[in-house]
Amino acid sequence: MDTTTETVTEIMRFVDLGGVLANAILGGIAARSARLDIVGFVILAVMSGLGGGIIRDTLLQQGPPVALTDPAYLVIAIAGAVIAFFVPFRGQWSNRTLVLVDALAVGFWAAAGAQKTLDAGLGWLPAIVMGIITAVGGGAVRDILLLRIPRIFGGNTLYATSALVSSVEMVVLSKLGMPTLGSAVALTSGAVLSLLARRFG
Amino acid sequence: MDTTTETVTEIMRFVDLGGVLANAILGGIAARSARLDIVGFVILAVMSGLGGGIIRDTLLQQGPPVALTDPAYLVIAIAGAVIAFFVPFRGQWSNRTLVLVDALAVGFWAAAGAQKTLDAGLGWLPAIVMGIITAVGGGAVRDILLLRIPRIFGGNTLYATSALVSSVEMVVLSKLGMPTLGSAVALTSGAVLSLLARRFG
Amino acid sequence: MDTTTETVTEIMRFVDLGGVLANAILGGIAARSARLDIVGFVILAVMSGLGGGIIRDTLLQQGPPVALTDPAYLVIAIAGAVIAFFVPFRGQWSNRTLVLVDALAVGFWAAAGAQKTLDAGLGWLPAIVMGIITAVGGGAVRDILLLRIPRIFGGNTLYATSALVSSVEMVVLSKLGMPTLGSAVALTSGAVLSLLARRFG
């Protein structure tokens, strides 16, 4: 592995785990608004942060979800629950940081889900669909567990578009033999579109 | 494969994919009544049309769901979403056609789910249960995603009976070495009972 | 297998299937309160009694869920639905019995889920999480299907604590090479805490 690839891999890992943390905290904030106790915080944080990847891995059937086999994921998701339980997150700056990290993660997760589906030998259409599921699944599960119609189903089109665009870019660049570039492009465009979605969506 | 078997196989494929299209359109119509945007149409159409088979394949663990490996399914389900998005489906004739195709599909899906469960080496009782899940799962998921108690849980007994009867017929005739006859009988009786269910259920 | 191990195994089987029956009946009682018909009774009973184990086995991906491969589970769950359909369960004694059996089952299921996760080669943290999911998953699915926020998410902390403590005990004693003792300790402490939860939770 040359230095560039290594750097890219490290950035990806950082974005991935950062996204888990941000989404876990968002799950914890949703738990507070529903007046749940610490148990509810942990369950919603874990499902928000890891739900998309768990659905993807359960469908691909390549073994237990990476959320269970890579210890970092559960630790970070539970940490997110504990942080959300003790920190009120009322300040504008903390919320902006969460939104930024979440936006970065949407593009990355879409790309990672699409790539993993291609690696499992499936076609480009399932790869795009699975990319979107990976990116938005955790938030959708969080909404359903709180008996809300998932925001992604309506009124948040740009957010879904961000996941779609990132998945498509990844599939195209991966098919052209440039998966690392695919991840980088998907991450960037996903982030830009997600931020637009938060502002105008 | 002799000509009869070939014809039966072709009819089955037609009923299967027709059922996916009809259920996807029904999912899109549900998305309209919940005032969702195109993203919601696609998600509900895919889950309505393919949800039962996805649950079946995830539980049987014989590899990724056929909804992902056979390209026709996703294409047709997404096409159903697009059709439902642009066509209002207010006329009585179009609704009757949807109901008829859906009724045909319930019997076929129950039989297919039961047979696949037997093929996986499981017993007759799981086969019947999985047949029912395959047939009614998509509609149940559609209801849950829209925060409705699934219609199948109550007030639609004849519809569930249709799936049950088709599954039982398939298991019996399959155990007697006549799976093709089983599919045909299950499809017919499922259709008759489903149509009665729509009229009187 | 010596006599003690054999006796413990028999007790475990009894607690396991007793827990399925008790939870299936609780599912049926929930179906009655939602005024569902027999179809709803069966679906809620099966999901209540078997849901936790089905989620565990689907995530572990070691083959189809034991709920499908071991015939006793489906038979007992459906029997629970039928019992709940015909027996009103208004008396205090019948309810106390259900609560007691359910309480015994929470500890056992948590231990069994944790052990099965360790057996699949996963670490101690996923094992604890899966133990909790196995123990409380069926009840959570039952609540979601009836459009209630799962009780386990809030206001029932001691019940979740019971599943957590049982999972931790099992993981510790299993890692120390004493899985049978782990099951026994987990079952006992789970039962004590669950009963406290029902009384004070």
Side-chain angles (χ1 to χ4, degrees), chain A residues 72-94:
Chain A
Y73 288 107
L74 269 177
V75 169
I76 287 177
I78 293 171
V82 173
I83 293 171
F85 192 75
F86 288 111
V87 182
F89 283 100
R90 285 204 206 93
Q92 211 170 4
W93 281 106
S94 59

Side-chain angles (χ1 to χ4, degrees), chain C residues 98-131:
Chain C
L98 283 176
V99 166
L100 177 68
V101 179
D102 180 38
L104 281 170
V106 165
F108 170 76
W109 285 345
Q115 182 60 48
K116 194 163 184 177
T117 307
L118 291 176
D119 289 343
L122 296 173
W124 61 269
L125 184 56
I128 291 169
V129 170
M130 295 290 280

Side-chain angles (χ1 to χ4, degrees), chain C:
Chain C
M1 208 166 13
D2 60 65
T3 325
T4 314
T5 314
E6 223 170 80
T7 313
V8 171
T9 307
E10 271 170 29
I11 292 173
M12 295 291 164
R13 178 83 175 165
F14 185 80
V15 171
D16 186 13
L17 296 178
V20 170
L21 184 66
N23 266 282
I25 292 174
L26 290 170
I29 291 172
R32 170 170 295 122
S33 77
R35 293 162 181 258
L36 303 182
D37 62 20
I38 183 67
V39 181
F41 271 71
V42 171
I43 295 173
L44 282 174
V46 168
M47 294 311 300
S48 287
L50 306 177
I54 289 175
I55 297 172
R56 175 200 63 204
D57 292 343
T58 304
L59 292 176
L60 289 182
Q61 304 211 9
Q62 312 278 309
V66 70
L68 295 179
T69 55
D70 180 336
Y73 287 107
L74 270 177
V75 170
I76 287 176
I78 293 171
V82 173
I83 292 171
F85 192 75
F86 287 111
V87 182
F89 282 99
R90 285 201 205 95
Q92 211 171 3
W93 282 106
S94 59
N95 280 328
R96 279 193 191 160
T97 310
L98 283 176
V99 166
L100 177 68
V101 179
D102 180 38
L104 281 170
V106 165
F108 170 76
W109 285 345
Q115 182 60 48
K116 194 163 184 177
T117 307
L118 291 176
D119 289 343
L122 296 173
W124 61 269
L125 184 56
I128 291 169
V129 170
M130 295 290 280
I132 297 171
I133 290 173
T134 307
V136 307
V141 171
R142 178 183 62 216
D143 290 342
I144 291 169
L145 289 179
L146 291 174
L147 306 186
R148 299 170 185 162
I149 293 187
R151 280 204 65 204
I152 195 71
F153 287 14
N156 206 354
T157 318
L158 211 47
Y159 200 74
T161 308
S162 151
L164 170 64
V165 168
S166 295
S167 295
V168 170
E169 288 165 348
M170 186 67 202
V171 168
V172 170
L173 286 166
S174 185
K175 289 276 183 192
L176 294 174
M178 295 179 282
T180 308
L181 183 64
S183 293
V185 169
L187 195 158
T188 314
S189 78
V192 171
L193 279 168
S194 295
L195 289 174
L196 290 175
R198 291 276 180 169
R199 183 167 278 258
F200 306 108

Side-chain angles (χ1 to χ4, degrees), chain B residues 59 61 126 144 147 152-153 155 157, chain C residues 37 40 57 61 65 68 145 147:
Chain B
L59 292 176
Q61 304 213 6
I144 290 169
L147 306 187
I152 195 72
F153 287 12
T157 319
Chain C
D37 62 20
D57 292 343
Q61 304 211 9
L68 295 179
L145 289 179
L147 306 186

